[in-house]
Amino acid sequence: MLQCTAVTLLPPDAVLRLTAPGADGPEDPEPDVLCELGTHDKQRTEHAAYLRPGRTPDSPALWFFWTGSGPERTHRAESTPWCPALLRRLDSGAVRRCALFDHHPASHSWDVTDPLGDLMAERLVPGDSPEG
């Protein structure tokens, strides 16, 4: 399943929450966020973007949720527990956790493909630098 392509600007209150004293978020957060879910019904399902981790790996993380665009956009930022789903590879014993929030719609993170990220990763080679 392809990743949702919805992008939105973070509202000032979400940026303030990320940069508040004692927050574990980035000092200068990105001004816009990309939905991390697989493709979904954009009219009935909220978009979701991961903002920052909880205090421990198992603590709820801060997520930004939104629907609509322009003046009709509604949004919220809240700490949400992680999805408990695990993908176990029997041949190697590897265990992979879903990187989305609990009760997320659509597919688990391991089933979501980011075509742009994949394209960029294909072009990078060891020792390559932006200077050429």
Side-chain angles (χ1 to χ4, degrees), residues 2-132:
L2 294 177
Q3 184 173 345
C4 178
T5 58
V7 177
T8 192
L9 290 172
L10 280 176
D13 62 326
V15 173
L16 285 174
R17 191 170 176 187
L18 281 172
T19 57
D24 293 331
E27 290 190 27
D28 195 15
E30 291 295 323
D32 50 18
V33 291
L34 172 66
C35 181
E36 298 184 35
L37 301 174
T39 53
H40 55 89
D41 180 348
K42 295 176 180 170
Q43 302 302 320
R44 295 186 208 153
T45 304
E46 287 181 305
H47 298 289
Y50 171 78
L51 295 180
R52 74 163 194 245
R55 298 226 179 259
T56 66
D58 291 326
S59 296
L62 185 63
W63 287 80
F64 181 74
F65 300 94
W66 78 96
T67 56
S69 60
E72 285 81 40
R73 183 184 72 168
T74 60
H75 66 273
R76 62 190 173 92
E78 73 178 54
S79 291
T80 306
W82 292 101
C83 175
L86 301 173
L87 176 65
R88 297 182 191 276
R89 296 210 40 138
L90 298 177
D91 58 342
S92 66
V95 176
R96 191 170 173 188
R97 296 180 72 168
C98 180
L100 300 172
F101 55 94
D102 197 13
H103 301 295
H104 59 83
S107 299
H108 292 293
S109 61
W110 53 76
D111 290 325
V112 177
T113 302
D114 177 4
L116 180 58
D118 291 347
L119 179 63
M120 291 170 56
E122 285 176 11
R123 302 201 72 182
L124 297 175
V125 295
D128 197 11
S129 74
E131 289 81 33

